[in-house]
Amino acid sequence: MLDLWYKNAVIYCLDVETFMDSNGDGVGDFRGLADRLDHIEALGCTAVWLLPFYPSPNRDNGYDITDFYGVDPRLGTLGDFVAFTHAAHDRGLRVIVDLVANHTSIDHPWFQAARSSPDSPYRDWYVWSEKEPPNRHEGVVFPGVQDATWSYDEAAGAWYMHRFYQHQADLNVANPAVRAEIERIMGFWLQLGVSGFRVDAVPFLIEHRGLEEHEKPDEDPHRYLTAMRDFLSWRRAEAVLLAEANIEMDEVEDYFGPDGERMHLIFNFMLNQNLYLALARGDAEPIRRTMAGTPAIPAKSQWASFLRNHDELDLGRLTDAERGECFAAFGPEPTMQIYERGIRRRLAPMLEGDDRRLKLAWSLMFALPGTPTLWYGEEIGMGDDLSLEERNAVRTPMQWADEPNAGFSAAAPERLVRPVVDEGRFTYRAVNVAAQRDMPGSLMDDIQRLVRVRRACPEVGWGRCTVVETGDTAVLALRYDWEGATLVILHNLADRRTEVTLDTDDLGTLRPLFCDEGDREMRDPKKPLALNPYGFRWFRAGGERR
């Protein structure tokens, strides 16, 4: 089970530059992060996922990298990174870092060499076209911000491909030299103590777009994921690959692999989007439908579940009508929407600060099949800053206390990497870690208890999940069975009280583990179970787990 630690993990995602500033320059850093690991440990999380911290012009939150083997000087040194990993390991926390292998910054020395001459050994490290590609306006990832996927470079005298922004040139991953370099990058960070990689933009990484047919590998492009997994397992058996892959359900096997030999974990974007549709409707049917359409995955594979992350809430897999329902419920103003498909808000503002709905959403996410992933600040219900451009609205500094700059930095406010949220309902003066620490009934207190319960219920990570009929479409009832143990978890997505009866007769007595109120009474599953508006209950069937 050691090598499958990710099956029962809880992952905490953060951006070093906005977490904690140790030296008063207005930018978070590794020393500040190491100093605040106690907070992540106290939550009960078992792994920390870091957004890119590499040297970068920082035009895209660090995803435009100029050196894959270094640390942005604003954030510290390689020595600071190693000291941080040791501090994390001392607390039982694994470290996952971003692997951005699809592209580099155009300022990267590789691209600068590639553009300098057609004879440069780095020329084929990128994707070029001598003629203007006729489809250069197709496949745009950021509508309204990006208008093309090819740009002309005067120095090179050719067009280069960029699936994302113009300043991010796509690497030619079909080139064996590029693949060898990606392995060197992985090996370098594994040697420095990381336990895996969140792999950015996996579908784009393997699509080979813009290459001529004779330039593409003569194999299924998904086999490259197997090669990545093989290298990773050879270097460090416990290490994992967590894929950002917003895929349809008929593509699942391609990314996990028929026998689980590719990505260890994949973010379940389809379930995430339908979770929000269910919350908007107050009806669990979208979740049940999505789960029914989700194929079985290999025993070694795992979904990663989440509520929010560093990007927009992507609703692109929903129909236009369904997306409209979510916009109306969670982002009705144009300034709240982005890229024609998403919402650029944090969870608490989307749910209007309603404590009942927030705790329901958290419990629901933790109860769904997979490994829960938290975005920093969500555990205290942080707000967003819609005055910031694009996705930066949800990337404001961590709110530690009712102190200047929310306790994030001693710098003058104008020097902060981004302003703290200091107005409205979600101001740091009201929403901060210090105000909720050891405070019964606070959101952070409930999430701490929820994390403890989830870690004590390996059935969710390892077991077989079944949707149980209740007769009320607003209620989602999940049953997990694993090694003779059974869990039953119920969520009422409606703003009304309800009573349901479980359509099963083999459960025995239900012992409460966690709920939205203080009720701890044993229950007979054959009798009606009451649920408050937005209420939830976690039960273990048949007494203690054996």
Side-chain angles (χ1 to χ4, degrees), residues 85-309:
T85 61
H86 280 281
H89 295 158
D90 287 345
R91 290 164 175 78
L93 295 165
R94 286 180 165 87
V95 177
I96 298 170
V97 301
D98 250 89
L99 178 64
V100 187
N102 180 71
H103 53 265
T104 73
S105 168
I106 59 174
D107 294 337
H108 196 292
W110 299 342
F111 187 81
Q112 291 300 310
R115 70 199 293 255
S116 67
S117 168
D119 299 322
S120 167
Y122 289 99
R123 187 72 162 200
D124 289 338
W125 282 43
Y126 295 88
V127 182
W128 299 92
S129 174
E130 297 300 319
K131 298 180 180 179
E132 179 178 351
N135 63 343
R136 75 183 192 92
H137 294 288
E138 296 177 7
V140 167
V141 176
F142 303 130
V145 179
Q146 167 198 15
D147 67 354
T149 54
W150 291 85
S151 290
Y152 186 74
D153 184 71
E154 294 284 351
W159 298 79
Y160 66 93
M161 200 188 93
H162 52 89
R163 255 311 199 155
F164 296 99
Y165 296 109
Q166 183 176 351
H167 56 77
Q168 293 167 320
D170 274 26
L171 285 165
N172 176 12
V173 181
N175 184 339
V178 173
R179 295 190 178 195
E181 187 68 26
I182 291 171
E183 289 184 353
R184 280 191 285 270
I185 294 166
M186 294 169 65
F188 178 84
W189 294 104
L190 289 170
Q191 195 67 27
L192 292 184
V194 310
S195 293
F197 302 90
R198 178 267 192 184
V199 188
D200 185 55
V202 176
F204 299 148
L205 179 67
I206 60 175
E207 71 176 352
H208 304 319
R209 190 169 186 259
L211 296 178
E212 300 293 339
E213 284 303 316
H214 69 275
E215 298 174 314
K216 299 178 182 179
D218 187 22
E219 63 178 14
D220 178 356
H222 298 91
R223 289 181 61 85
Y224 176 54
L225 305 181
T226 305
M228 292 180 70
R229 171 73 169 265
D230 288 345
F231 175 84
L232 187 79
S233 299
W234 174 62
R235 281 296 183 93
R236 176 165 291 183
E238 63 151 348
V240 301
L241 296 172
L242 169 57
E244 183 203 23
N246 190 347
I247 54 176
E248 299 279 5
M249 289 304 172
D250 60 2
E251 301 175 276
V252 167
E253 183 177 297
D254 292 335
Y255 287 82
F256 279 128
D259 299 310
E261 73 275 17
R262 293 174 185 166
M263 299 289 102
H264 294 80
L265 304 102
I266 300 176
F267 283 114
N268 198 334
F269 283 92
M270 188 69 78
L271 189 54
N272 172 262
Q273 296 178 44
N274 279 280
L275 181 154
Y276 277 96
L277 180 61
L279 291 175
R281 292 177 173 176
D283 188 330
E285 185 277 332
I287 299 175
R288 286 192 292 269
R289 170 168 41 85
T290 304
M291 292 181 67
T294 301
I297 61 177
K300 294 185 294 185
S301 302
Q302 180 78 311
W303 291 108
S305 51
F306 63 103
L307 287 172
R308 288 294 291 112
N309 59 25

Side-chain angles (χ1 to χ4, degrees), residues 139-144 146 163-165 204 244 246 269 273 311-320 322-324 326-327 336-344 390-391:
V140 167
V141 176
F142 303 130
Q146 167 198 15
R163 255 311 199 155
F164 296 99
Y165 296 109
F204 299 148
E244 183 203 23
N246 190 347
F269 283 92
Q273 296 178 44
D311 287 331
E312 77 277 11
L313 170 61
D314 189 346
L315 303 170
R317 295 294 181 188
L318 303 180
T319 67
D320 290 346
E322 291 169 341
R323 190 160 49 252
C326 290
F327 281 158
M336 301 172 179
Q337 301 166 19
I338 187 171
Y339 307 142
E340 304 172 4
R341 64 168 185 264
I343 297 174
R344 61 188 203 105
E390 295 188 68
R391 295 165 293 174

